């Protein structure tokens, strides 16, 4: 944690820095379990806990470090107020399903509370009201429509004119009795309990495929197998598609978070703007000191302005409205949104009975992720879930998804073509330290990063997923793909899928 008005030089989420979490070995052998889980975020860890409690043998693997992906970079609001959503869900799915969506979030909140009680978990849990505010006349009507949807669905909420923040606003919609917490303090205990129940955790173990013999087997990059009765793909972007065409049905967005110490005292509540650019606020307490979390600036991964400008925009907002004394942390997150905004949770495809997936939480992973783990765990132990049909990945609602489907896939095609045609006359000699550029090396498009010691790192800039061209992310020093959100370190290693293979490294001397 820094204590200056300068933005921290390196991104680092508070959550991960503030807990001691053990590291786990790499999988080095063939193993056999009831359930193989891929992905160590809130979904994977909650499912490992629920399933191991039912005396099933569980192995959870993560390509990187457990609890360090999207779950480690969240703002950790436990709320059923997912922006403006209920009016849209009612129009798109009908009243019954909109209500089910709300009930799923409330059940997730209750499940988190139950686990906290059962294991006496101290995770900075606080009941807070959730509030969407607007300063736009257009959005006042949208808030009013959302309130009408609340009333029809039996959601307790109030339209209010004033919120206790010095931020311009004309109207707000409050959902009472939601919550916030420290997600990793909570999940650390679920992970420990899972291990006590016999679950095995492995890190730095990348799953690359699922194969079938008598049973499904997860295949790792090192050629090891986890033979299972069931596979649960909880790897954010599904590492295995199962012919579910997930890349065409979801898009990836990045968003940014600053933690700031301010002269102004944080009022109670969790806030989010209805209109763009999104501004989301909550507080955290670090060593007895109150910090404001200021989040927002969403954009499609690998697209838009330079990443540091997004942090700068949040900083400008904080300076203007908070009376900032110091910036303690900054970090960013990546989230996936499905075409109809409801996550995909269920069988990965109709043909594959024993492979389940959970993805597409649209930034609301604390509740959607928890309920996803419950739905799949129930399914595996033979219990039906009332939410199964709502979340099923095999649904296809034509309107408005189809228009968005066309737009998203046209966007992908544009980036595929752009990469092949774009000519660049950037020169490595012009690169400043800690900066990157795209150049032609022997006719090949290459990304080159010059680190602080002036060492050059060059990679082939064609994404190993489906061939789009990656873009430099100056805030995180990564190469990000605009098509489906794969992210790579400056040396080309995969940080985030769907890509499974690293970018090819190029020896600049040889080209
Ligand atoms: Fe799909 Fe890069 S993530 S092409």
């Amino acid at each position: 944690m820094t204590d200056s008005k300068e933005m921290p030089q390196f991104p680092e989420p508070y959550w991960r820095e503030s807990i001691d979490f053990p590291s786990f070995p790499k999988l080095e052998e063939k193993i056999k379990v009831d359930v193989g889980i891929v992905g160590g975020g809130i979904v994977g860890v909650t499912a490992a806990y629920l399933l191991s409690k039912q005396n099933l043998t569980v192995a959870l693997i993560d390509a990187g470090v457990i609890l360090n992906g999207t779950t480690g970079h969240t703002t950790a609001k436990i709320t059923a107020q997912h922006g403006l959503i209920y009016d849209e869900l009612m129009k798109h799915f009908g009243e019954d399903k909109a209500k089910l969506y709300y009930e799923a979030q409330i059940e997730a909140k209750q499940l988190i509370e139950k686990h906290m009680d059962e294991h006496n978990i101290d995770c900075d849990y606080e009941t807070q009201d959730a509030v969407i505010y607007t300063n736009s006349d257009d959005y006042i009507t949208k808030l009013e429509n959302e309130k009408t949807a609340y009333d029809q669905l039996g959601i307790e909420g109030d339209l209010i004119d004033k919120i206790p923040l010095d931020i311009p606003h004309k109207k707000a919609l409050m959902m009472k009795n939601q919550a916030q917490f420290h997600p990793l303090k909570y999940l650390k205990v679920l992970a420990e309990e899972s291990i006590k129940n016999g679950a095995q955790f492995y890190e730095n173990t990348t799953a690359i495929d699922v194969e079938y013999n008598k049973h499904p087997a997860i295949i790792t990059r090192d050629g090891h197998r986890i033979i299972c009765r069931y596979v649960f793909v909880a790897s954010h972007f599904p590492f295995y598609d199962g012919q579910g065409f997930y890349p065409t049905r979801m898009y990836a967005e990045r968003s940014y978070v600053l933690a700031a110490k301010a002269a102004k005292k944080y009022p109670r509540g969790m806030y989010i703007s209805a209109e763009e650019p999104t501004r989301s606020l909550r507080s955290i307490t670090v060593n007895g000191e109150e910090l404001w979390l200021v989040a927002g600036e969403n954009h499609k991964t690998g697209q838009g302005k330079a990443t540091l400008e997004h942090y700068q925009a949040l900083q400008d907002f904080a300076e203007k409205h908070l009376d900032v004394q110091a910036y303690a942390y900054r970090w960013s997150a990546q989230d996936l949104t499905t075409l109809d905004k409801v996550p995909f949770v269920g069988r990965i495809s109709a043909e594959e009975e024993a492979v389940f997936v959970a993805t597409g939480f649209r930034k609301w992973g604390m509740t959607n992720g928890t309920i996803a783990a419950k739905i799949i765990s129930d399914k595996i132990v033979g219990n039906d879930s009332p939410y199964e049909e709502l979340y099923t990945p095999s649904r296809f609602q034509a309107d408005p998804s189809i228009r968005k489907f066309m737009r998203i896939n046209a966007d992908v095609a544009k980036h595929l073509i752009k990469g092949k045609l774009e000519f660049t006359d950037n020169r490595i000699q012009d690169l400043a330290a800690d900066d990157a550029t795209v150049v032609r090396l022997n006719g090949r498009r290459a990304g080159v990063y010059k680190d602080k010691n002036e060492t050059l790192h060059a990679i082939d800039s064609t994404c190993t997923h489906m061939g789009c061209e990656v873009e430099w992310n100056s805030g995180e020093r990564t190469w990000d793909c605009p098509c489906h959100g794969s992210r790579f370190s400056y040396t080309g290693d995969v940080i985030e899928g769907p890509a499974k293979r690293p970018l090819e490294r190029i020896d600049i001397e040889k080209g």
Side-chain angles (χ1 to χ4, degrees):
M1 167 167 167
T2 64
D3 199 20
S4 104
K5 278 211 72 172
E6 294 292 306
M7 251 204 292
Q9 198 183 359
F10 293 100
E12 180 182 38
Y14 158 68
W15 315 120
R16 184 78 207 188
E17 193 230 40
S18 53
I19 59 157
D20 280 331
F21 195 64
S23 45
F24 297 94
K26 192 170 178 174
L27 180 68
E28 303 278 15
E29 58 184 349
K30 173 168 137 184
I31 56 170
K32 204 168 170 184
V33 287
D34 291 320
V35 187
I37 301 173
V38 180
I42 189 165
V43 182
V45 171
T46 307
Y49 169 75
L50 293 171
L51 291 162
S52 62
K53 226 173 139 185
Q54 301 277 339
N55 295 323
L56 292 172
T57 53
V58 174
L60 181 154
I61 63 170
D62 195 289
V65 171
I66 286 167
L67 297 179
N68 199 34
T70 300
T71 300
H73 292 74
T74 171
T75 52
K77 295 177 177 177
I78 305 171
T79 175
Q81 190 185 59
H82 295 177
L84 294 171
I85 184 78
Y86 290 101
D87 180 51
E88 184 175 335
L89 289 180
M90 291 225 340
K91 289 191 178 118
H92 190 191
F93 287 92
E95 186 171 329
D96 290 349
K97 288 210 170 121
K99 193 166 175 118
L100 269 178
Y101 185 88
Y102 172 70
E103 286 168 356
Q105 313 314 314
I106 296 302
E107 188 173 326
K109 178 171 176 283
Q110 288 165 348
L111 198 60
I112 291 170
E113 289 164 354
K114 177 170 167 264
H115 295 155
M116 284 165 46
D117 286 349
E118 275 172 8
H119 301 292
N120 223 351
I121 305 176
D122 179 1
C123 56
D124 309 339
Y125 183 95
E126 287 174 41
T127 299
Q128 298 278 358
D129 296 332
V131 179
I132 313 173
Y133 68 90
T134 184
N135 197 37
S136 145
D137 290 330
D138 292 346
Y139 275 82
I140 291 176
T141 316
K142 292 188 182 182
L143 283 189
E144 286 166 351
N145 293 343
E146 188 75 354
K147 170 69 166 80
T148 306
Y150 280 21
D151 292 344
Q152 279 172 275
L153 298 172
I155 301 173
E156 204 188 327
D158 286 322
L159 270 177
I160 50 179
D161 295 324
K162 279 256 150 291
I163 59 172
L165 294 171
D166 288 335
I167 294 170
H169 61 275
K170 293 180 173 167
K171 204 54 131 197
L173 177 60
M174 178 190 286
M175 190 184 280
K176 295 219 171 77
N177 295 325
Q178 307 302 298
Q180 62 186 31
F181 72 156
H182 186 312
L184 268 48
K185 285 187 183 172
Y186 164 74
L187 288 165
K188 178 181 180 216
V189 178
L190 292 201
E192 288 164 351
E193 291 298 320
S194 310
I195 290 165
K196 276 189 214 160
N197 296 338
Q200 307 166 55
F201 283 21
Y202 299 96
E203 293 183 329
N204 301 310
T205 302
T206 305
I208 56 164
D209 205 359
V210 174
E211 278 180 14
Y212 288 86
N213 198 333
K214 206 159 129 212
H215 294 292
I218 300 166
I219 315 296
T220 71
R221 170 160 306 133
D222 295 341
H224 300 300
R225 285 170 176 263
I226 305 171
I227 300 166
C228 337
R229 284 167 53 214
Y230 301 99
V231 173
F232 186 5
V233 179
S235 54
H236 200 214
F237 209 111
F239 80 95
Y240 171 74
D241 196 63
Q243 305 277 303
F245 302 105
Y246 290 90
T248 63
R249 302 200 289 155
M250 291 193 295
Y251 58 93
E253 279 194 327
R254 294 202 71 70
S255 55
Y256 301 84
V257 187
L258 289 181
K261 193 162 108 184
K264 283 193 185 157
K265 185 159 171 43
Y266 190 89
R268 287 188 60 77
M270 307 179 293
Y271 300 87
I272 192 163
S273 62
E275 63 270 30
E276 305 269 332
T278 305
R279 295 289 177 261
S280 164
L281 295 149
R282 64 160 280 191
S283 64
I284 54 173
T285 305
V286 179
N287 301 329
E289 215 164 44
E290 177 188 88
L291 298 181
W292 294 56
L293 286 193
V294 182
E297 282 290 303
N298 319 342
H299 66 91
K300 280 189 82 180
T301 302
Q303 300 185 23
K305 54 192 178 191
T307 319
L308 280 173
E309 289 178 31
H310 293 288
Y311 282 115
Q312 186 60 53
L314 288 184
Q315 194 175 6
D316 293 346
F317 175 86
E319 296 286 335
K320 193 163 168 196
H321 301 296
L322 270 54
D323 201 355
V324 172
Q325 295 169 328
Y327 291 98
Y329 300 92
R330 73 171 170 98
W331 69 88
S332 69
Q334 179 147 311
D335 291 278
L336 296 164
T337 299
T338 68
L339 300 181
D340 59 18
K341 299 190 181 166
V342 173
F344 294 135
V345 181
R347 286 210 171 94
I348 201 156
S349 65
E351 293 73 42
E352 301 196 48
E353 295 258 308
V355 183
F356 298 97
V357 68
T359 187
F361 301 140
R362 198 177 69 96
K363 301 186 182 59
W364 302 104
M366 297 298 102
T367 53
N368 268 324
T370 300
I371 204 66
K374 176 83 167 75
I375 293 168
I376 301 302
S377 305
D378 279 349
K379 194 84 198 143
I380 287 173
V381 298
N383 296 333
D384 288 335
S385 163
Y387 313 116
E388 214 176 304
E389 196 189 324
L390 169 70
Y391 283 106
T392 182
S394 62
R395 71 180 181 271
F396 194 76
Q397 302 277 340
D399 177 39
S401 309
I402 195 79
R403 286 196 302 276
K404 229 188 252 172
F405 175 89
M406 306 290 283
R407 224 173 32 236
I408 287 171
N409 289 291
D411 200 32
V412 168
K414 188 178 84 190
H415 284 281
L416 272 165
I417 292 163
K418 175 186 158 211
K420 307 297 166 237
L421 300 181
E422 194 181 65
F423 180 77
T424 160
D425 52 8
N426 298 339
R427 296 175 339 144
I428 295 176
Q429 302 88 291
D430 300 335
L431 253 188
D434 197 22
D435 202 1
T437 189
V438 172
V439 296
R440 290 263 162 201
L441 283 179
N442 288 342
R444 215 167 159 195
R445 199 173 186 274
V448 182
Y449 169 62
K450 186 191 266 186
D451 69 23
K452 293 211 167 96
N453 303 320
E454 313 244 321
T455 305
L456 295 169
H457 305 268
I459 45 86
D460 185 317
S461 61
T462 303
C463 177
T464 55
H465 177 230
M466 285 170 67
C468 290
E469 292 299 315
V470 296
E471 307 274 345
W472 180 242
N473 171 341
S474 55
E476 325 295 315
R477 299 175 179 86
T478 55
W479 293 102
D480 296 354
C481 182
C483 288
H484 313 107
S486 288
R487 297 181 60 233
F488 304 86
S489 71
Y490 60 76
T491 52
D493 294 328
V494 178
I495 295 176
E496 200 143 355
K500 294 172 196 161
R501 285 178 294 114
L503 299 173
E504 190 192 330
R505 289 188 199 183
I506 298 176
D507 183 336
I508 293 190
E509 303 292 298
K510 294 186 190 146

